[in-house]
Amino acid sequence: MGNAPGKVYLIGAGPGDPELLTLKAVRALGCADVVLVDDLVQRDALRHARAGARVIEVGKRGGCKSTPQAFIERLMVRLARRGCVVARLKGGDPFVFGRGGEEALALARAGITCDVIPGITAGIGVPAALGIPVTHRDVARGVTFLTGHSRDGGEPDWRALRATRTTLVIYMGMRRVAALVAGMLEAGFPADTPACAIQNGTLDAQSEVVTTLGRLPAAAAAARLGGPAILVFGEVVRYAHSAAASAAQRAA
Ligand code: SAH
């Protein structure tokens, strides 16, 4: 630590499977004095921290006890000013629904060097665990990432989204799946649009339902799916392996 200026690595840890960390993430973890870790990050990732590094849990899972964002930002600034190399480890990619942008801005305002290390975002890596290619050329013109849980409580413009003919991938949508599906049906998405929900994707605890838009809320409830989960809507979902095939693949 000493008098050398500190810095912060804003690191994406990927969707869950610890082998989906990047080489760069592993290297940055290995040189950090302090690791600030979110609760969606698998603890296995911490194996790459150096012995003696301090680990601080700053989880803020929706609805549970949380560390306020401003506190996390102040803590990073304080540690870096003291000369620490800080690894800020976040689930998926730090800039995709991860508030990484806010943290990078706070660090820039404080004059602290921040290196961003991208990670595999859940919206790509989790469908891939089922064999779903989110932009499969013949059936999707692209992919749209959405949050099911907007800060202002507003609903997405489903009609406009339908017109894009892109695969829709919804983060943080499980708790509101019935309302989201109702909005989509009302906007004219066919009830037989292929749909799936995947919980704990890429992990041993992965579970999923592959169904249609109209049946998704009941199917997800019957399978007792909860968070963290990704919802995927569109023709690309037809490429999902059967649950048995993907379980066998994970075991391999
Ligand atoms: N920055 C993260 C997203 C953080 S928001 C990223 O790029 O992936 C948290 C949401 O991500 C969860 O509510 C869920 O929708 C999704 N998510 C993260 N990990 C997941 C996993 N292993 N399986 C399913 N969904 C996951």
Side-chain angles (χ1 to χ4, degrees):
M1 290 185 222
N3 293 325
K7 69 180 293 182
V8 176
Y9 290 101
L10 204 51
I11 305 172
D17 178 348
E19 290 198 310
L20 293 175
L21 276 174
T22 63
L23 295 174
K24 205 159 185 165
V26 168
R27 186 165 59 76
L29 274 170
C31 67
D33 302 303
V34 185
V35 183
L36 301 188
V37 59
D38 270 0
D39 52 14
L40 270 184
V41 174
Q42 292 305 301
R43 293 308 178 257
D44 263 8
L46 297 174
R47 274 191 294 137
H48 303 290
R50 65 175 180 74
R54 194 170 145 209
V55 175
I56 306 177
E57 312 256 348
V58 290
K60 44 183 164 42
R61 183 161 291 178
C64 297
K65 193 167 147 260
S66 68
T67 312
Q69 187 66 23
F71 175 84
I72 298 172
E73 289 168 11
R74 279 200 305 269
L75 181 62
M76 287 195 292
V77 168
R78 199 163 64 227
L79 289 166
R81 283 202 175 131
R82 253 193 244 156
C84 293
V85 174
V86 180
R88 171 76 174 108
L89 197 56
K90 295 167 137 334
D93 182 274
F95 282 174
V96 180
F97 301 126
R99 306 188 74 171
E102 289 158 64
E103 294 177 14
L105 281 175
L107 292 164
R109 264 188 248 115
I112 288 164
T113 308
C114 167
D115 281 1
V116 180
I117 302 180
I120 297 176
T121 190
I124 295 174
V126 171
L130 259 62
I132 298 174
V134 289
T135 66
H136 196 62
R137 179 158 84 149
D138 297 334
V139 297
R141 305 179 71 176
V143 57
T144 304
F145 295 135
L146 300 161
T147 170
H149 174 92
S150 73
R151 181 140 78 166
D152 58 11
E155 289 298 317
D157 184 343
W158 293 119
R159 275 173 214 285
L161 287 165
R162 194 179 138 220
T164 66
R165 295 172 54 207
T166 59
T167 301
L168 301 187
V169 173
I170 305 186
Y171 294 66
M172 296 171 276
M174 199 50 150
R175 245 188 290 170
R176 299 193 57 244
V177 64
L180 296 169
V181 165
M184 291 174 74
L185 291 171
E186 202 184 299
F189 281 88
D192 64 357
T193 304
C196 74
I198 311 150
Q199 179 183 15
N200 291 319
T202 79
L203 295 167
D204 290 341
Q206 177 176 308
S207 51
E208 65 261 348
V209 293
V210 178
T211 177
T212 59
L213 175 63
R215 295 206 176 104
L216 184 65
R224 298 182 180 283
L225 292 193
I230 281 287
L231 309 176
V232 188
F233 301 95
E235 291 299 316
V236 297
V237 173
R238 291 191 199 281
Y239 293 84
H241 305 140
S242 70
S246 67
Q249 192 188 42
R250 281 198 303 284

